[in-house]
Amino acid sequence: MHATLTVLGSGTSMGVPTIGCDCAVCHSTDPRDRRTRPSVMISFNGRNVLIDTTPDFREQALREHITQLDAVLYTHTHADHILGIDDLRPLTYKHRPGKLPLYASPQACDFLRTMFRYIFEPTYKFGGLPQVALHPIEGPVELFGVTFEPLMVIHGEMPILGFRFGSAAYLTDHSEVPAVTVANLKDLDILFLDALRHVPHPTHSTIEKSLKIVETVKPKRTFFTHICHDLPHEATNGALPPGVQLAFDGMKLEFEL
Ligand SMILES: [Zn+2]
Ligand SMILES: [Zn+2]
Ligand SMILES: [Zn+2]
């Protein structure tokens, strides 16, 4: 099945430009150096599946003219991946009397229920709430005829999820990709990997570290995401090997599911 992947955001948790920063990348006029928080949308057969709801979701949805969402998958519950949940509201109302399904690991479901108690245990009568329902991920998630396979990655000391869908895989926020997950990354057309910067970081991958994964897995096309202001788009891209690029906000990729 034909599908399109849209990069909604390619930036690290603070976004680029970073508030209060005077560096060259934060002042760049290249639109690809403006990075909202990390998220992608997969579109196929009239359906849109979102991965993560970032604090920039509203801006991303307006920019990409998103008028319909059919499911949301969560990688983990760090603020830069969940805080846009309330801005799902207008898109969830279209599901009435049903709810927009959200999928997350059982631990992530617990966290989301606590963090957004006003959504999941509403006690007030006024004001609109996102019409969403949480579903724990306990194995592959079947969505509209497509399998989204959860893949475990290590984010600092925490196991979190990436996803493989058809010939593409999206792994964000990893300091380590365990062998069991590497084994599930065979024959990929598209691979997204975390590449925060060049300097090592306790919870994120670097360009150098992620290039090692690329050498092992050999996807046709690799895109780095969760990028901080250390990496100017054009100059960094120019130094990457063939088939490897930095993702940028608004990038669209065609592939087969
Ligand atoms: Zn993150
Ligand atoms: Zn900066
Ligand atoms: Zn994170």
Side-chain angles (χ1 to χ4, degrees):
M1 193 188 312
H2 182 74
T4 305
L5 184 150
T6 304
V7 176
L8 298 182
S10 57
T12 188
S13 58
M14 291 191 198
V16 181
T18 302
I19 294 173
C21 185
D22 279 328
C23 82
V25 174
C26 287
H27 279 278
S28 164
T29 53
D30 184 339
R32 296 166 303 176
D33 283 325
R34 286 193 74 87
R35 302 174 181 130
T36 60
R37 267 58 73 86
S39 173
V40 294
M41 184 174 73
I42 300 102
S43 308
F44 55 95
N45 206 12
R47 304 288 189 171
N48 288 325
V49 174
L50 179 69
I51 300 185
D52 293 332
T53 53
T54 83
D56 297 311
F57 175 68
R58 179 176 177 276
E59 190 189 328
Q60 295 167 343
L62 292 171
R63 188 191 73 214
E64 298 298 333
H65 310 289
I66 299 173
T67 57
Q68 174 201 330
L69 271 188
D70 298 285
V72 180
L73 298 166
Y74 283 103
T75 58
H76 66 307
T77 53
H78 281 161
D80 52 325
H81 297 260
I82 63 170
L83 286 186
I85 194 169
D86 201 77
D87 284 322
L88 290 173
R89 274 183 296 163
L91 297 169
T92 66
Y93 295 160
K94 300 185 176 184
H95 290 260
R96 278 172 174 160
K99 297 192 178 220
L100 173 69
L102 313 179
Y103 296 86
S105 73
Q107 301 91 310
C109 284
D110 287 345
F111 186 97
L112 290 168
R113 267 191 213 100
T114 308
M115 174 92 179
F116 300 106
R117 202 171 140 201
Y118 76 97
I119 295 175
F120 297 104
E121 293 173 32
T123 52
Y124 65 90
K125 294 193 176 84
F126 307 104
L129 293 173
Q131 300 299 301
V132 290
L134 275 172
H135 301 273
I137 296 177
E138 269 146 359
V141 182
E142 301 292 334
L143 295 174
F144 321 109
V146 172
T147 304
F148 289 78
E149 191 182 348
L151 302 172
M152 195 267 282
V153 295
I154 303 295
H155 185 24
E157 292 178 351
M158 185 171 66
I160 69 156
L161 298 181
F163 296 96
R164 176 168 181 159
F165 31 97
S167 62
Y170 180 74
L171 306 183
T172 180
D173 294 61
H174 52 82
S175 41
E176 230 176 285
V177 178
V180 59
T181 290
V182 171
N184 278 318
L185 299 175
K186 286 185 186 130
D187 304 318
L188 282 175
D189 175 11
I190 292 173
L191 175 60
F192 275 76
L193 292 172
D194 180 340
L196 181 73
R197 60 190 189 191
H198 292 294
V199 182
H201 187 280
T203 63
H204 288 281
S205 189
T206 58
I207 294 264
E208 290 66 25
K209 224 170 153 176
S210 284
L211 282 174
K212 291 215 172 77
I213 300 170
V214 173
E215 278 169 33
T216 311
V217 174
K218 297 185 173 53
K220 281 197 190 119
R221 300 180 275 171
T222 302
F223 301 91
F224 289 158
T225 189
H226 216 294
I227 308 158
C228 88
H229 58 168
D230 287 10
L231 303 179
H233 185 90
E234 192 157 342
T236 309
N237 252 357
L240 290 172
V244 184
Q245 287 176 49
L246 296 188
F248 58 87
D249 289 27
M251 174 183 248
K252 282 188 166 55
L253 303 166
E254 309 294 319
F255 70 105
E256 289 298 317
L257 275 170

